[in-house]
Amino acid sequence: MPASEINGNTTAMSAYSTKLTAPAQPSSLARPGTADIAGMFEGIAMSLLDKAAAAEMTALLAKITEDMATDSATVKAIAADYTAADAAGALTLATSTIKLAQQGLNLLKQASGSIGQAPESTEEKTDTSAADGSQTQA
């Protein structure tokens, strides 16, 4: 009888449930009061297996923890090196910027000084010297 015909039909459900049986209980789950040698050996084996697995997991976790601590120390050392390099680079950049600013200021001072001084023409010098010379001769 297909499952679609059982749904909602209580008679069919009752008939089907009589055919259902639970699986046999494993010997390891038997009650301690009963003498089940197979269950006892299975329980001991499971206990030993559990202890071995716990020991392996403890060793694995210890190894992973050690690796993480080593990696953490390595990463911290690398980060410190990068931080020191960044600080040195920033200091070099600041020094270069200050030097460039000083050179720019010196260039501006030179440019403003040369603009403030008007160049004297050579004609004016000769005219004044000629005029001076003619006055002394006369």
Side-chain angles (χ1 to χ4, degrees), residues 104-125:
L105 287 174
N106 289 339
L107 189 63
L108 283 173
K109 285 179 185 178
Q110 288 176 356
S112 66
S114 65
I115 290 172
Q117 298 175 352
E120 296 179 7
S121 65
T122 55
E123 293 177 6
E124 291 177 5
K125 288 184 181 178

Side-chain angles (χ1 to χ4, degrees), residues 48-89:
L48 293 175
L49 182 63
D50 180 52
K51 288 179 182 177
E56 285 295 319
M57 284 305 297
T58 301
L60 177 65
L61 290 175
K63 171 93 171 92
I64 289 172
T65 303
E66 180 184 347
D67 289 347
M68 288 176 67
T70 303
D71 291 346
S72 176
T74 303
V75 168
K76 284 180 184 177
I78 291 170
D81 289 346
Y82 278 126
T83 302
D86 285 345

